[in-house]
Amino acid sequence: MTMTGEHAAWLHRLNDRPRPAVRLFCFPSVGAGPNMFADLSGRIDGRIEMWGAALPGREARFSEPPPTDLDEVVWTLTQALLPHTERPYALFGYCSGALLAYLVARRLTELGVPAPLRLIVANYPPPHVENRTARDVGALGSEDFWRRIIQLDGVPEQITQMEDLRDVFEPVFRADYRLIAQYEHRDTLPIGLPVTLLSGGLDPLSDQDVTGWARHSDGGVHHEIIPGSRWFVLDAVDELSRRLDRLLTAAHPGVLTFREVPGPRPPSPGSPRDVVFLHDGSLALSGALNALESARNLYSVTAVRTPADVHHHLAARPGETGVLIVGLPPVVNSEFLSHVRAWTRSALVLAIARTADFAQLTTLTEAGVNGYMDMDMEPEALFAALTLLSRGRFLLSGSTESGLLRRVAEAERPRYPSPPAMLGELTEREGQVLGLVADGWTHKQISTRLGLSKATVDTYVQRIRQKLGLHNKAELTRAAVEYGLSPAVQPATD
């Protein structure tokens, strides 16, 4: 897969795995680029695809100025990683890269996308411990700067020995230390991920550090020591690859995310490229069709207008499993359901509804459809659906999923305070954001609706979770229902 888009340069694929079982995203130490993990990528299990974070100022991006804003770096890395979350994945942060990995992991869990299998941290104290080294070295003159980082073993020996190139390396090293020094820890809810701590036998993490990391995850924390120095990514690659193989290949089988539940049909071999779109010509379906038309280099797209056209197309390609996207008519009658049942015998069927109708969803599921989405979905959601359908997942769009959660919440006994008591905990704006999140709006859609930056919306959601002690979207939805928060509007399209 070739990465495209405005954030593409921020990730570099280190090995070629056509159908990886799991992806490992690696965040290098101070001043380093993705090639820090190049040797490891050639020795790791063949089922693991490795990517390295590529920040400006390093390696292929050497001519670009180093970044100066930590929040912006975390946001951009998260955006770069999002298109790759359709397969199981993990994050691996080495030394200072561990802080970036942790912050990206936290951001991903807040966005509600499939979460990482695991966060792997090498040679770094827990986030709440102030990194005084990063703060102090930034104020040193050049000679003292190098003396200090050599004393701290803060960069690989191979770099510190290149005295004639220190003027080249120093600006990016200083920029990285300044980024780390910007981090100010705020107590937040633990991330629901298992965390593995790695450290070298000659310089292991302390028991206090291990205990400290346990504050930041309710998914379990364990510590493994690798013989040798702290630079085992360079000096003990075989041992490191064995540890990662065990952690990742044993972790991924059977892992399902909140948005991926077992479907009614087994996974189909291969990834379907033949897409048939039953389209009635309405403007409501035009966005989805235009998105598919723009991806003709990836899919063979055929737009048809009648059920008879669908039957004819499928009959002309016996034995070829493709995807049939069905724009549902205003009324799904028994005749239309009989067509759907016939189509599901030879294609993966994704139904697109004008509005979420849960009785209709039940009927179509019984008829064998593989997914049910609404017409306001973004193109990214459609492309993700096409990929996931071939893996045997039953798909629901975010707003439909939220509607189901809201139904469950409304049927259960309230356990939250009444709206007046809630208003003392949340601001009016936080109440608006909570209602929108619970109704299936993405953070991007909320930012457009309320005229806020996406980063500000992310902050609001985090504050809401902290104030109310909520951990996931199901709990956010329950709170919104019991506080009487519902905008009663559909998500805006972009």
Side-chain angles (χ1 to χ4, degrees):
M1 176 173 59
T2 301
M3 188 173 177
T4 59
E6 60 179 312
H7 310 304
W10 287 71
L11 287 177
H12 173 70
R13 187 167 62 179
L14 293 162
N15 55 17
D16 188 11
R17 302 287 190 265
R19 290 191 172 277
V22 61
R23 291 187 172 115
L24 179 62
F25 295 93
C26 303
F27 299 78
S29 62
V30 164
N35 282 330
M36 166 175 264
F37 305 99
D39 197 6
L40 176 63
S41 69
R43 306 192 199 193
I44 204 163
D45 188 287
R47 293 169 289 177
I48 301 173
E49 181 178 87
M50 283 183 56
W51 294 73
L55 274 63
R58 298 147 183 79
E59 297 179 6
R61 306 185 69 186
F62 180 78
S63 61
E64 301 175 52
T68 58
D69 187 302
L70 179 62
D71 288 340
E72 184 176 336
V73 168
V74 172
W75 182 86
T76 306
L77 286 170
T78 303
Q79 296 302 309
L81 200 150
L82 280 176
H84 305 288
T85 59
E86 87 286 358
R87 287 186 180 272
Y89 68 101
L91 307 183
F92 175 32
Y94 204 83
C95 295
S96 61
L99 179 62
L100 286 180
Y102 164 75
L103 294 175
V104 170
R106 176 169 291 286
R107 181 63 63 87
L108 288 165
T109 58
E110 291 169 357
L111 292 177
V113 299
L117 299 176
R118 180 179 300 273
L119 172 63
I120 303 169
V121 172
N123 304 321
Y124 203 78
H128 65 272
V129 175
E130 182 183 6
N131 192 322
R132 294 183 179 179
T133 299
R135 183 192 63 192
D136 295 342
V137 298
L140 298 175
S142 182
E143 186 175 340
D144 290 336
F145 173 83
W146 284 100
R147 184 183 298 111
R148 180 63 173 152
I149 63 174
I150 291 171
Q151 178 187 13
L152 294 168
D153 198 17
V155 294
E157 185 179 1
Q158 297 92 315
I159 300 296
T160 60
Q161 290 177 345
M162 300 178 184
E163 296 188 22
D164 55 335
L165 292 179
R166 287 184 180 180
D167 289 344
V168 176
F169 290 126
E170 186 172 328
V172 72
F173 287 165
R174 284 187 179 275
D176 273 5
Y177 280 121
R178 292 191 192 101
L179 276 181
I180 299 167
Q182 286 179 25
Y183 178 67
E184 295 181 4
H185 182 71
R186 296 183 295 273
D187 285 335
T188 55
L189 294 171
I191 55 176
L193 307 176
V195 176
T196 297
L197 308 176
L198 302 178
S199 59
L202 298 178
D203 186 20
L205 289 172
S206 67
D207 292 341
Q208 185 177 5
D209 284 339
V210 176
T211 303
W213 268 105
R215 286 177 45 182
H216 300 281
S217 172
D218 54 13
V221 173
H222 81 283
H223 180 207
E224 297 190 12
I225 296 177
I226 296 179
S229 75
R230 64 187 321 219
W231 295 106
F232 47 82
V233 70
L234 304 174
D235 304 333
V237 182
D238 287 334
E239 180 61 26
L240 176 58
S241 67
R242 282 191 289 269
R243 304 287 182 105
L244 294 175
D245 291 347
R246 174 175 51 78
L247 288 170
L248 298 176
T249 59
H252 84 270
V255 173
L256 300 177
T257 71
F258 186 65
R259 295 182 185 276
E260 297 178 33
V261 295
R265 304 180 58 175
S268 300
S271 180
R273 294 181 178 274
D274 184 35
V275 178
V276 182
F277 199 151
L278 178 57
H279 186 292
D280 62 4
S282 65
L283 290 175
L285 285 172
S286 297
L289 182 58
N290 289 340
L292 286 171
E293 292 285 350
S294 69
R296 283 190 173 273
N297 59 321
L298 299 176
Y299 303 101
S300 172
V301 183
T302 303
V304 298
R305 289 296 182 93
T306 69
D309 292 333
V310 176
H311 288 295
H312 177 75
H313 183 93
L314 296 179
R317 292 167 172 77
E320 295 183 18
T321 301
V323 174
L324 169 61
I325 300 176
V326 177
L328 297 175
V331 177
V332 177
N333 55 28
S334 58
E335 180 183 1
F336 192 84
L337 281 174
S338 67
H339 290 307
V340 172
R341 291 189 186 96
W343 297 333
T344 59
R345 289 194 286 269
S346 55
L348 299 166
V349 178
L350 174 63
I352 301 183
R354 284 169 169 77
T355 58
D357 181 323
F358 301 106
Q360 183 185 82
L361 169 61
T362 301
T363 301
L364 288 166
T365 301
E366 291 172 349
V369 301
N370 303 83
Y372 184 90
M373 306 184 77
D374 56 73
M375 293 183 183
D376 287 322
M377 63 183 168
E378 297 179 352
E380 292 86 349
L382 178 59
F383 295 139
L386 293 176
T387 301
L388 291 171
L389 282 173
S390 65
R391 296 169 56 197
R393 304 296 192 229
F394 185 82
L395 303 171
L396 290 179
S397 62
S399 59
T400 304
E401 177 186 66
S402 296
L404 288 172
L405 289 170
R406 188 175 285 278
R407 275 194 157 200
V408 171
E410 290 170 346
E412 294 184 354
R413 182 178 179 180
R415 63 181 178 87
Y416 291 103
S418 62
M422 177 278 298
L423 293 175
E425 298 180 52
L426 298 185
T427 66
E428 181 179 355
R429 179 67 87 185
E430 288 168 345
Q432 286 180 304
V433 171
L434 175 57
L436 290 165
V437 168
D439 272 16
W441 293 52
T442 66
H443 291 203
K444 181 179 177 182
Q445 290 168 339
I446 295 172
S447 70
T448 301
R449 168 77 177 184
L450 300 182
L452 304 171
S453 71
K454 184 175 172 300
T456 300
V457 174
D458 295 342
T459 300
Y460 273 125
V461 173
Q462 179 62 21
R463 286 177 184 168
I464 293 165
R465 293 175 62 187
Q466 285 181 256
K467 287 183 177 182
L468 303 183
L470 307 178
H471 296 82
N472 53 44
K473 186 175 179 181
E475 293 185 358
L476 285 167
T477 301
R478 186 191 303 274
V481 167
E482 294 172 3
Y483 290 154
L485 299 172
S486 178
V489 290
Q490 294 298 314
T493 55
D494 295 309

